[in-house]
Amino acid sequence: MFDLSVYKNRRAALHKKIPHGIVLLLGNQEAPANYPDNTYRYRQDSTFLYFFGHSLPGLAGILDLDAHRDYFFGNDVTMDDIIWMGPQPSIAELGAQVGVPRSYPLKQLNKMIGEAVAKGRKIHFLPPYRFDHYLWLEALTGIRAAAVQNYTSVELIKAVVALRASKEPCEIEELDKAAHVGYLMHTTAMKMCRPGVKEQLIAGALDGIASQYGSMVSFPTILTQHGETLHNHGHDHLLEKGHLMLTDAGAELTSSYCSDHTRTVPVSGKFTDRQKDIYNLVLAGHDHALELAKPGVTYQSVHLAVCKVLARGLKDLGLMKGDTDEAVAAGAHALFLPHGLGHMMGLDVHDMENLGQTYVGFDDEVRPSDQFGLSALRMGRRLQEGFVITDEPGCYFIPALIDKWKAARLHASFLNYDEIEKFKDFGGIRIEDDILITKDGSRFLGKERIPVTVKEIEAFMRNN
Ligand code: GLY
Ligand code: MN
Ligand code: MN
């Protein structure tokens, strides 16, 4: 946890952003896996964590915007709990640790919200994403669970996004630490990568590192020799010489700050010429994003510039043709790169995605697109100092997509289908690092860089 002043300042900033009503922030409960006492690893709601700091189940918080008062709610443990869990701090102690002197049992929360509803006061709450929260919101507000999504507060969503989007120095320190755990995970993957090794063996080792040095992985690890499937969570293959192993994995610290990196390496330890050609194109795009990313620039423009690097390179290799700018404007390159350049990252690996991507990654100026490929961009708006985003271009040869586009002769003036056909056994490449937007530019998070050039990767795999 950070110093209590951090949480007080954040809540004070939220008070300033919304003039009236009550902000209701629900903490997450335990989530049973297969019976009530056998739960998934506990994960606090990131917005609750941001304003109230505690990563424990059964908590809630209120900001009374009219009375300028904050409240902290939870039930003190019973002797039965102490027998099974050991001594626990009281709710009053937990509240005091985050600068909230007014703490009460949960039944008081029901009473306060009930009274506010009776008086017709506005209750600001965020879109629920856990089913128990739908029911909790129904019990508190009287709005039917099936309808609560219609009553979420856009004012609160926008205020939370505005605050959480710019990372404070104490958060950046955590994100740098999370990147270090990511470094350990990815270099371990490179060390273990050999023909004949099962993907699962390496993926399991990465899970272990994430929990040894932090809390857990920041999302289920993608580790596969079939990187052409973007979110391939299967780990069933024995790695084969000639294939590329794509590892997209990150750590979440006990503070819940995340990392998210991707590396693609040759199973044999040495890239073939064809793999090198495509890899260097993706890397050129990836490095170009870091050059362009700075305050005031839209990330959509960075995404499109990276697409052009890729399209130009694919043209040089004979896979694309025609005018590169026109090809990218038409979306022809999306056959190879059907996803966006990146997303915000912080307390969530896809930061604040639960609040709605259009509020997080877009604004009145930069709107989401419905063009295939560009529509998958999660972050398009102008960058600001303190933003943390991922830079994750890729190039994929997805046989089913190639077949579909080829049959329809889609973008045939920009795509050399006869050449593309020869790459249907290629797989996919993605390279991902996490970027901090600084005062006048950007930097990668983490003190050490995971090997990324062809030379660095081959040398690392040879020597480890
Ligand atoms: N977790 C997948 C990604 O966004 O990189
Ligand atoms: Mn990733
Ligand atoms: Mn990512």
Side-chain angles (χ1 to χ4, degrees), residues 282-310 312 328 341 379-385 387 389-391 393 435-444:
V282 179
L283 185 60
H286 177 268
D287 290 348
H288 192 47
L290 187 77
E291 281 165 18
L292 297 177
K294 63 176 180 192
V297 167
T298 71
Y299 210 48
Q300 188 186 62
S301 70
V302 181
H303 167 90
L304 290 170
V306 169
C307 293
K308 284 179 194 171
V309 171
L310 185 70
R312 209 169 294 123
V328 170
L341 184 59
M379 172 69 199
R381 65 187 168 111
R382 281 188 200 281
L383 301 171
Q384 295 173 25
E385 185 180 357
F387 279 15
I389 42 176
T390 62
D391 167 14
I435 288 181
L436 169 69
I437 304 301
T438 57
K439 191 163 178 291
D440 43 21
S442 55
R443 73 161 172 90
F444 289 129

Side-chain angles (χ1 to χ4, degrees), residues 413-429:
S413 55
F414 299 119
L415 295 168
N416 265 332
Y417 281 110
D418 289 347
E419 283 306 306
I420 293 167
E421 205 45 53
K422 297 177 192 160
F423 278 72
K424 275 163 82 176
D425 63 347
F426 184 92
I429 289 173

